[in-house]
Amino acid sequence: AQKVTQAQTEISVVEKEDVTLDCVYETRDTTYYLFWYKQPPSGELVFLIRRNSFDEQNEISGRYSWNFQKSTSSFNFTITASQVVDSAVYFCALSGLISGYSTLTFGKGTMLLVSP
Amino acid sequence: NAGVTQTPKFRVLKTGQSMTLLCAQDMNHEYMYWYRQDPGMGLRLIHYSVGEGTTAKGEVPDGYNVSRLKKQNFLLGLESAAPSQTSVYFCASRPSTTSYNEQFFGPGTRLTVL
């Protein structure tokens, strides 16, 4: 069975602080994909990044960076110099097979509150 | 392109009433999904469809039925609503041609069952 654990339920920071959101996953698949989604207060789900299991290169996109470590089954997300607009719930998700069809398993999410 | 749309956006039901949530996508995607989101639970898969005329159960299918009569539409039905079905429902779709399973989500339907 697949599982995604986001141990941090809620994080509060002050603007301009750096913050890291943790994601640990379990899977028996040798090929899989990991995702991060953002859910702002408006409620929609916004795709942030996709990473496949063969690509352990870290990625940076502006203030966002992702650290994928297969050895520890972790795919952590760091926001540098956080801003109030970063306040949202962030979900980590893992692709996998259920009954032969590919689906996504989501973590329970981490609520990030950035105060001015 | 509108992407993935959901109708209605909000709904309040009384226990025992029935209703259908409509999901429509204009991207010609083969795969469609229904999730529910509850506080502290993340998104959980209710049912999914890998093509027109096919449906399958996900993680939490009890109390729901689905139909995929047309490729672009995926309907989620509640035959006899219960307060435990109060939730935000998200529909998603993706093409079958990609291996990485990035799903495109609709804006959600907030359902309250009294």
Side-chain angles (χ1 to χ4, degrees):
Chain A
Q2 296 195 118
K3 187 176 179 181
V4 175
T5 301
Q6 295 180 254
Q8 304 148 308
T9 305
E10 188 173 325
I11 301 175
S12 293
V13 299
V14 177
E15 211 170 14
K16 298 185 183 176
E17 284 186 24
D18 298 347
V19 57
T20 295
L21 310 181
D22 298 332
C23 173
V24 175
Y25 63 92
E26 297 175 26
T27 181
R28 292 179 182 175
D29 295 342
T30 54
T31 301
Y32 52 89
Y33 288 83
L34 293 159
F35 302 79
W36 276 95
Y37 285 86
K38 174 182 179 180
Q39 187 177 42
S42 54
E44 75 272 22
L45 285 159
V46 179
F47 166 78
L48 294 177
I49 190 171
R50 172 185 68 245
R51 172 69 72 225
N52 75 51
S53 53
F54 295 107
D55 183 2
E56 290 192 67
Q57 272 194 325
N58 292 334
E59 181 157 339
I60 298 175
S61 176
R63 297 184 297 107
Y64 296 169
S65 62
W66 290 269
N67 183 354
F68 175 35
Q69 292 195 335
K70 210 168 176 179
S71 60
T72 57
S73 297
S74 65
F75 186 40
N76 296 336
F77 173 31
T78 297
I79 302 174
T80 302
S82 59
Q83 299 177 1
V84 172
V85 293
D86 295 326
S87 296
V89 180
Y90 291 86
F91 292 99
C92 180
L94 167 68
S95 72
L97 295 176
I98 296 179
S99 301
Y101 293 105
S102 186
T103 64
L104 282 179
T105 299
F106 283 83
K108 294 183 178 181
T110 297
M111 178 178 288
L112 174 64
L113 178 61
V114 182
S115 54
Chain B
N1 285 352
V4 180
T5 58
Q6 292 183 231
T7 308
K9 288 185 170 53
F10 303 94
R11 185 73 186 268
V12 178
L13 289 179
K14 294 182 180 178
T15 297
Q17 287 185 319
S18 63
M19 78 161 294
T20 300
L21 281 66
L22 169 64
C23 175
Q25 51 94 4
D26 60 2
M27 297 174 282
N28 203 34
H29 288 170
E30 288 78 17
Y31 293 3
M32 296 187 74
Y33 307 82
W34 275 107
Y35 294 88
R36 62 177 288 172
Q37 182 184 13
D38 303 295
M41 296 297 293
L43 276 77
R44 294 181 292 170
L45 182 64
I46 304 172
H47 285 281
Y48 62 98
S49 168
V50 298
E52 185 177 320
T54 71
T55 62
K57 294 180 180 179
E59 181 186 354
V60 289
D62 293 342
Y64 304 96
N65 56 73
V66 287
S67 64
R68 183 103 181 265
L69 299 179
K70 294 182 179 181
K71 186 178 183 179
Q72 64 268 32
N73 294 338
F74 194 27
L75 305 179
L76 178 71
L78 287 72
E79 288 188 351
S80 180
S84 61
Q85 294 177 302
T86 294
S87 188
V88 180
Y89 292 87
F90 285 98
C91 176
S93 72
R94 77 167 182 97
S96 64
T97 50
T98 58
S99 60
Y100 45 77
N101 196 25
E102 177 186 340
Q103 296 180 12
F104 297 80
F105 285 85
T109 294
R110 185 174 294 275
L111 175 66
T112 301
V113 183
L114 303 175

